[in-house]
Amino acid sequence: MTGRTHLIVGSGVTLSVMSLIGQNITLPAALVAIVSSLLPDIDEPNSLLMQKTMPKTMLKKIKLALVAAGIGFMIYCYFKSFYVPFSYGIGMLMIGACLIHQRLFRQLLMVILGGLMLYLGASAGPWWGTIGALLMVCAVLPHRGLTHSIYGIIIWGAVLYFASLRLGEPLWTSGVMAYTLHLMCDVLTKHGIQPLPPFKWKFRLPLMSTGKFSGFLVESICITLTFVLIWHAFIEPMGETMFSLFTHFKNRVSAMLNI
Ligand SMILES: [Zn+2]
């Protein structure tokens, strides 16, 4: 299933259900729903979420900076005889990084970023360290592993629950709902999901494969159903409010005219 479908179905259904059950929809809750609808694919470096957070242009700039830093480092080592020839090896590695394929490069950046958060987490608080460690684990695990399991829902739910307690805003409901919806959508694909690894049991209802006609059909149906729900949750009540306002206004005018 494409990232676009996950985004529409995950956040659309979550926000509609929240509105229908009378939960307050705040901007942070909506943002959490949007991120959570894409978050499980953080283990796929070329997924929509990763393309948005680490765009191609940014990767190119980082690669160029690495080449420049590598050359600079080697020149410095040459003049200062800094651990030569081992330092040349590090410089070559930095320059060689520009040849790495986009997918692997994103993976590498995730590991570095996770490591940095883990390091800083020691002083900034345990949550940064936890998120950093998870980022590193997700980067190296195969696609649809930990993030596409019940553990993924529980971990993300726990992170949001404690964040909700600190911020005084119930973010975890929208997050857990959107995250679970992503997994439910992936159940419809031929690969399905593995809800309780290391158990090999797969949960799948193979109705479609992404990129094929079956994918287009199933994804279109899911998006249409989402829009029906959005209509029911947001547009219809808006129409009713407008109608009652109109009747109220009409009654006032006719009462005034009678006077
Ligand atoms: Zn997925």
Side-chain angles (χ1 to χ4, degrees):
M1 202 162 267
T2 61
R4 188 185 60 121
T5 312
H6 278 307
L7 180 68
I8 296 172
V9 176
S11 42
V13 173
T14 301
L15 297 180
S16 303
V17 171
M18 279 174 75
S19 163
L20 287 172
I21 59 174
Q23 268 220 19
N24 201 14
I25 299 172
T26 57
L27 186 66
L31 286 175
V32 164
I34 290 170
V35 171
S36 306
S37 68
L38 297 171
L39 192 65
D41 284 344
I42 197 169
D43 61 358
E44 170 46 59
N46 283 344
S47 63
L48 187 63
L49 183 70
M50 300 314 288
Q51 278 182 30
K52 292 288 174 210
T53 44
M54 294 181 191
K56 260 186 200 172
T57 45
M58 189 183 100
L59 294 186
K60 268 187 194 159
K61 280 179 193 159
I62 294 175
K63 280 182 180 179
L64 268 174
L66 263 174
V67 172
I71 295 171
F73 182 66
M74 281 170 82
I75 293 171
Y76 171 82
C77 296
Y78 175 75
F79 285 112
K80 298 275 177 183
S81 304
F82 183 73
Y83 291 105
V84 175
F86 306 106
S87 51
Y88 285 162
I90 295 171
M92 289 302 279
L93 271 177
M94 284 160 86
I95 297 168
C98 73
L99 300 171
I100 296 176
H101 200 260
Q102 189 180 296
R103 190 176 189 280
L104 185 65
F105 195 65
R106 273 207 184 101
Q107 232 163 348
L108 207 70
L109 281 183
M110 273 172 77
V111 174
I112 294 170
L113 200 69
L116 214 64
M117 284 168 88
L118 195 64
Y119 175 71
L120 294 175
S123 53
W127 284 107
W128 286 102
T130 314
I131 294 170
L134 284 172
L135 204 63
M136 286 175 87
V137 170
C138 289
V140 291
L141 279 182
H143 182 40
R144 290 200 183 176
L146 181 72
T147 57
H148 286 67
S149 69
I150 289 173
Y151 315 130
I153 302 177
I154 294 171
I155 293 171
W156 183 230
V159 168
L160 288 178
Y161 180 73
F162 288 109
S164 304
L165 288 184
R166 280 196 123 189
L167 301 170
E169 178 125 27
L171 300 172
W172 67 278
T173 33
S174 67
V176 168
M177 224 190 291
Y179 196 102
T180 312
L181 276 161
H182 179 114
L183 303 199
M184 280 162 74
C185 285
D186 277 347
V187 165
L188 303 178
T189 63
K190 72 170 192 255
H191 296 295
I193 60 162
Q194 217 175 311
L196 290 164
F199 296 108
K200 293 263 180 254
W201 175 67
K202 275 198 166 181
F203 186 26
R204 63 190 182 131
L205 228 149
L207 296 177
M208 58 163 280
S209 40
T210 313
K212 300 262 172 67
F213 179 70
S214 61
F216 168 74
L217 198 70
V218 174
E219 287 184 41
S220 302
I221 293 171
C222 290
I223 290 173
T224 311
L225 290 175
T226 305
F227 279 120
V228 170
L229 195 66
I230 291 174
W231 179 275
H232 187 58
F234 297 104
I235 314 288
E236 250 178 39
M238 227 155 69
E240 279 164 22
T241 318
M242 294 293 274
F243 185 71
S244 60
L245 269 174
F246 173 73
T247 350
H248 178 72
F249 184 68
K250 202 180 82 179
N251 291 344
R252 284 290 293 271
V253 170
S254 46
M256 275 168 71
L257 286 176
N258 281 341
I259 292 165

